[in-house]
Amino acid sequence: MRTLPDQENSAGGSGLDAYAPRICVRACGRAWELARAADLEQLWDAMTDDPRNFEDERLPYWTELWPSSVALAEWLALRREEIAGRACLDLGCGLGLTALVGQWLGARVTAVDYEEAALGFARQNARLNQVPQPLWTLMDWRRPAVRAGSMARIWGGDIMYETRFVAPVLRFLQHALAPDGAAWVAEPGRAVYEAFLHALHHGGWQGRRVHAAQVEPLYAQPVPVTVQVWEIRRRVR
C-alpha cells in the first residue's frame, strides 16, 4: 500500500510535499483517483470567517485522504465474500475511497457524511473510477437517518478525534447494526481510541483487533503510519 502522488504536482520521493487537487492511491490491486477540494489549511482559514462552524464541529477533515482509509480498503478486500451483496454503511465517508472500494467489491453501500461538500466530491470520485454510485447520504450520526438494524456491516476510517465522539458513535452502531452484524473501525493509534475500547467493554460490545498495516502517508514524512482495524460486535450473553 503506497500512496502515489499526482505526477503533475509531485516533486518526487515518497509522498506529496505540496497540495494536489487530485491524488492517486493504490489499494485492492488497482489505482484509485480522488478529486478533492482546497487543502486543509485553506479550508481552515475560510472557517474562521464564521464562528458557527466551530460550534457545529464542521472541521474540514474530509478533504484529506487519511492512512486509515487505505488500510481499511485493504481489509474490505480481504472480507470480500463477507460483504458482497449485503447492506453495508460507510460512516464518515469523506472523499469516498472505502465506500467506492466496498461498492466495487459487490457490497450495497450506503455512504454517509456530515458535510455536503464531501459527498459532492465522493460522487465525482465514483465517476472518475467508474464505480456504480453508492447511496450517498447527508447525515449527522447523532440523528440516524437509516432504518434500525438494517446494516450487516458498518465501517469507518479514523472517524473519532475527540472522546466526546465515542458515545454518539456507539449509539449509532446500536441503532443501525443488524443483531448479528459487525462494525470495522480503522485507527492510527490516536489516544481517543483507548476511551473507545474502554467504552466497548462497559457497553455491551466486544472488540478485537483483526488487521494491522503500515501505510505510506499522503504527505512526505520519515516513517509510515501503523493502522489497526478493530472488529466490533454485540457481546454474546
Side-chain angles (χ1 to χ4, degrees), residues 54-58 91 112 114 139-145 164-173 175:
F54 292 94
E55 295 171 4
D56 203 26
E57 303 165 357
R58 294 191 177 276
L91 187 61
V112 305
Y114 190 42
M139 193 195 73
D140 181 341
W141 56 35
R142 295 168 297 187
R143 290 180 281 278
R164 60 197 174 99
F165 294 169
V166 170
V169 168
L170 289 178
R171 284 195 294 269
F172 179 82
L173 296 182
H175 168 82

Side-chain angles (χ1 to χ4, degrees), residues 58 93 110-120 123 135-141 143-145:
R58 294 191 177 276
C93 66
T110 298
V112 305
D113 204 279
Y114 190 42
E115 292 291 346
E116 189 170 3
L119 297 178
R123 290 188 189 94
L135 176 61
W136 307 107
T137 304
L138 187 67
M139 193 195 73
D140 181 341
W141 56 35
R143 290 180 281 278

Side-chain angles (χ1 to χ4, degrees), residues 2 13 25 48 101-102 112 120 133 141 144 146 151 155 177 218:
R2 181 175 180 272
V25 62
T48 61
V101 168
V112 305
Q133 296 281 352
W141 56 35
V146 297
M151 297 297 163
W155 60 72
L177 199 60
L218 177 61

Side-chain angles (χ1 to χ4, degrees), residues 81-197:
E81 294 183 1
E82 193 172 327
I83 66 175
R86 306 183 78 184
C88 299
L89 185 139
D90 187 316
L91 187 61
C93 66
L95 296 174
L97 175 63
T98 52
L100 299 182
V101 168
Q103 192 84 348
W104 181 66
L105 292 171
R108 295 184 287 110
V109 178
T110 298
V112 305
D113 204 279
Y114 190 42
E115 292 291 346
E116 189 170 3
L119 297 178
F121 279 94
R123 290 188 189 94
Q124 180 180 345
N125 291 332
R127 293 192 295 269
L128 280 174
N129 293 280
Q130 299 182 339
V131 173
Q133 296 281 352
L135 176 61
W136 307 107
T137 304
L138 187 67
M139 193 195 73
D140 181 341
W141 56 35
R142 295 168 297 187
R143 290 180 281 278
V146 297
R147 183 166 52 87
S150 61
M151 297 297 163
R153 296 292 181 269
I154 297 174
W155 60 72
D158 211 356
I159 55 177
M160 284 176 282
Y161 297 87
E162 299 180 39
T163 55
R164 60 197 174 99
F165 294 169
V166 170
V169 168
L170 289 178
R171 284 195 294 269
F172 179 82
L173 296 182
Q174 181 68 41
H175 168 82
L177 199 60
D180 61 346
W184 296 318
V185 175
E187 54 91 7
R190 297 184 192 278
V192 64
Y193 285 93
E194 296 180 9
F196 181 66
L197 294 174

